[in-house]
Each structure stands twice: as C-alpha cells, then as structure tokens.
Amino acid sequence: MPNVIELKDVNKIYGTRVKSQILYDINLEIEENSINSVVGASGSGKTTLLNIMGTLDRPTSGEVIIDGSNTKNMAQHKLAKLRNQAIGFIFQFHFLLQEFNVFDNVLMPSKIQRNSRTEVKERANRLLDMLGLYKYRQYNVLDLSGGQQQRVAIARSLINNPKIILADEPTGNLDLHSSEDVYNIFKQVNKEYGVAFVIVTHDKHLAGRVIKIQDGEILLVSPSAR
Ligand SMILES: Nc1ncnc2c1ncn2[C@@H]1O[C@H](COP(=O)(O)OP(=O)(O)O)[C@@H](O)[C@H]1O
Ligand SMILES: [Mg+2]
C-alpha cells in the first residue's frame, strides 16, 4: 500500500525567546485506505501533530510528504491547492458557517476547485443522502442538533473526494449515541470511498491502528487491524 502521509524526523518548537519543544523526531507513515487513531493525554501534542500532518502548520525541522509530494519547499498557493484536494478536515468544533444552509456549507471547500458545478452538487446530494441529511439540505445549520451538525462537517470534508481525512476529537462534544454514529460513518466512508482516516480520539472509540503519543514522542504504534 502506498503512503498518503509520511512524516520524516519532524520536530516542532514553539517560541523564539523562550523555546518549548512540542514534537520530537516524529517518523510516521499513514497508508492509503487505513484507519488510524491518535491517543494521548491532554497537552501531549496530538493537535500539533495533526495540524502538521494536514499542512496547516509547518514543522520546525523535518519533512511532510502528502500523497507523494514533499511539502517542505512548496509555495503557499501550491500547498493550499494540494491540501484542499487531498485532505478533508473535521474538528471538534465543526466551524460550520452559520449564515449558510446545510447544502452551501457542504459545497464550501469545492469553491476553489475548478470542478463541474453539476457534478459537485450531485456529489453533495449523494453525501447528504448517505449521512441521513438530505431532507435538511435547505435548513440553516443552527437549526440542527450537534450530531447532525457534525455530520454536515463530515459531508463537507468529503466534497473534494480527498484521500485523507484528519479528525481532531470529532466526537468531543457529542453524546454517546451520536459519537457511535460518527464512528460508524467513518468506517462506512473508509470502506466505500477508500479514504484514509487519522482520528484523534479517546480510548473508548479506538479504531484501526493506534498511535500513542506522550510528551511529544510516539510511544507506541499498534499494527494495523487489517
Ligand atoms: N501556538 C502555540 N504556541 C505555543 N505553545 C503551543 C501552541 N500550540 C500548542 N502549544 C503547546 O503545545 C503542547 C501540545 O499542545 P496540543 O498539540 O494542543 O496537545 P493536545 O492536542 O494533545 O492536547 C501544549 O503544551 C500546548 O500548550
Ligand atoms: Mg488537542
């Protein structure tokens, strides 16, 4: 299996005068079509690691290779394009745009690609249908429950047909039932669309390969469940 993400000797240091090192010599590969959970105590560096994987943040040293492209010296606009094409993001706080309806929120990441509008709209409808949201597509996102809002965010993350989805505590604000829904949807999306997942999560939702991080170091990587 080819890797969709490779991290090579990644270090992250914040601060200039007072430096604090957050990540230490991270070497990690994420395989195409795999499910990976990242676990670790609060403050251990999970979000920093995920943001670096998603090229939202740059490492202080080391390399990040996305779908075969080394991002180290990539120009900003090229990096933005690669990120938008290859990676879908799901956050704990869904960051839906409150002044837009469900359908337009799902379409948002597709706006900077030059794809056929008709195809994108068809895809949005298919995703909303899969996520049980089709009948809500004209609703304002504020009129949905927390679980429904997170499903809108999942549809949005899939609109550009990404190879990778990065999810940072995606169920952190959901009740048990909605959380289970979200994890079942992830498994279904992984199976049907072949998307690789990296999910920062709590132990109760462990899925696939487990990457344990402690004080900015990878402590353990369990073998893939497949
Ligand atoms: N922009 C930043 N500047 C300085 N320190 C930061 C910044 N972002 C995160 N940190 C620090 O890095 C450490 C790891 O944070 P984070 O990656 O958010 O951990 P986690 O997601 O595992 O809770 C924490 O000590 C946090 O305070
Ligand atoms: Mg975090």
Side-chain angles (χ1 to χ4, degrees):
M1 277 284 179
N3 295 320
V4 286
I5 303 178
E6 288 175 29
L7 301 186
K8 292 190 176 156
D9 298 320
V10 162
N11 287 280
K12 181 68 182 179
I13 297 168
Y14 281 120
T16 43
R17 212 170 56 84
V18 179
K19 295 186 196 308
S20 67
Q21 184 151 2
I22 309 298
L23 295 175
Y24 296 84
D25 296 322
I26 303 283
N27 286 286
L28 189 61
E29 295 174 349
I30 303 297
E31 276 186 5
E32 195 172 84
N33 200 5
S34 63
I35 295 185
N36 307 266
S37 294
V38 178
V39 298
S42 177
S44 57
K46 303 182 296 296
T47 295
T48 306
L49 179 68
L50 208 72
N51 288 345
I52 287 175
M53 282 186 174
T55 74
L56 294 171
D57 196 0
R58 285 189 189 266
T60 309
S61 66
E63 296 180 5
V64 180
I65 294 141
I66 303 293
D67 198 17
S69 299
N70 194 324
T71 62
K72 196 172 176 83
N73 298 310
M74 208 177 263
Q76 274 305 330
H77 71 281
K78 245 188 116 181
L79 184 59
K81 188 160 180 240
L82 173 68
R83 182 193 306 131
N84 181 260
Q85 272 174 354
I87 308 174
F89 293 92
I90 301 170
F91 305 95
Q92 179 172 0
F93 305 98
H94 44 69
F95 296 120
L96 298 174
L97 297 171
Q98 303 185 349
E99 56 278 32
F100 291 93
N101 68 24
V102 166
F103 192 68
D104 289 333
N105 265 282
V106 173
L107 285 181
M108 207 53 72
S110 73
K111 301 284 185 199
I112 73 165
Q113 304 278 351
R114 287 205 193 87
N115 299 328
S116 134
R117 286 289 97 192
T118 320
E119 270 173 41
V120 172
K121 285 181 178 172
E122 275 170 18
R123 184 172 169 84
N125 279 326
R126 243 182 301 134
L127 290 168
L128 287 169
D129 189 34
M130 178 179 86
L131 295 166
L133 291 168
Y134 189 78
K135 66 176 174 195
Y136 301 106
R137 66 195 187 289
Q138 305 301 337
Y139 279 48
N140 186 288
V141 293
L142 292 178
D143 293 328
L144 303 181
S145 72
Q148 288 170 328
Q149 290 180 348
Q150 198 55 303
R151 279 186 275 142
V152 176
I154 296 172
R156 179 184 58 185
S157 76
L158 286 163
I159 193 67
N160 287 338
N161 200 12
K163 290 201 164 174
I164 308 152
I165 286 184
L166 302 178
D168 195 355
E169 305 199 38
T171 61
N173 284 317
L174 300 181
D175 60 39
L176 191 63
H177 180 75
S178 300
S179 300
E180 277 167 8
D181 264 3
V182 165
Y183 281 93
N184 287 330
I185 291 163
F186 286 174
K187 281 179 200 154
Q188 190 187 345
V189 168
N190 169 260
K191 229 172 147 184
E192 281 182 28
Y193 293 89
V195 182
F197 279 83
V198 182
I199 310 160
V200 173
T201 185
H202 299 290
D203 294 25
K204 65 178 189 286
H205 292 302
L206 282 192
R209 174 180 178 240
V210 177
I211 299 158
K212 189 163 171 36
I213 161 164
Q214 184 177 307
D215 299 331
E217 287 184 273
I218 289 181
L219 200 67
L220 172 153
V221 181
S222 82
S224 161
R226 291 180 304 129

